[in-house]
Amino acid sequence: QVQLVESGGDLVQPGGSLRLSCVVSGSIFSINAMGWYRQGPGKQRELVATITSDGSTNYADSVKGRFTISRDNAKSTMYLQMTSLKSEDTAVYYCNLDGRDWDLRRSDYWGRGTQVTVSS
């Protein structure tokens, strides 16, 4: 089993920055990709950014040039560096892991989320 724990969410003013972290614990056979998703008030959960096992990244158009996804394999941690934050970035941010368990079945794990609020 895998556990994902997000941290770093906070109240920040427009134009500010935050760095989210997602710590991965537990054992898994392989990881295809990890990503950050968010769900704003009254909205559906949406993709923010993903990073594959070979380091390829993908971003939602709304965050391109402002957010950067990265990972530190030695620390089993994924990050989301967010800059130039806007009020529309307000949401609960979730960490996701797409991989295969030891029985080789495709697995999809989620953290519980961390709240980011952008407001003056």
Side-chain angles (χ1 to χ4, degrees):
Q1 280 289 342
V2 170
Q3 293 80 41
L4 308 176
V5 179
E6 304 96 334
S7 63
D10 205 346
L11 170 64
V12 62
Q13 292 187 344
S17 299
L18 278 177
R19 188 177 80 159
L20 305 183
S21 299
C22 172
V23 177
V24 182
S25 62
S27 178
I28 194 168
F29 177 74
S30 66
I31 297 175
N32 299 322
M34 293 188 65
W36 289 96
Y37 292 72
R38 68 185 181 187
Q39 187 165 13
K43 298 181 181 179
Q44 291 188 333
R45 190 174 297 189
E46 63 177 1
L47 169 72
V48 176
T50 59
I51 184 166
T52 64
S53 57
D54 65 0
S56 298
T57 58
N58 179 57
Y59 296 91
D61 288 343
S62 59
V63 307
K64 280 181 181 176
R66 299 189 298 122
F67 292 9
T68 303
I69 189 171
S70 64
R71 64 172 189 231
D72 184 335
N73 291 334
K75 296 182 178 179
S76 299
T77 302
M78 179 177 67
Y79 302 99
L80 184 69
Q81 179 68 48
M82 304 186 294
T83 63
S84 302
L85 283 161
K86 306 174 182 179
S87 58
E88 50 262 44
D89 295 318
T90 294
V92 178
Y93 284 71
Y94 298 91
C95 174
N96 171 261
L97 185 153
D98 170 23
R100 291 193 184 276
D101 287 323
W102 289 101
D103 60 5
L104 301 185
R105 292 183 180 181
R106 191 74 175 265
S107 56
D108 195 32
Y109 293 97
W110 292 90
R112 294 188 175 184
T114 185
Q115 176 70 49
V116 172
T117 302
V118 184
S119 175
S120 55

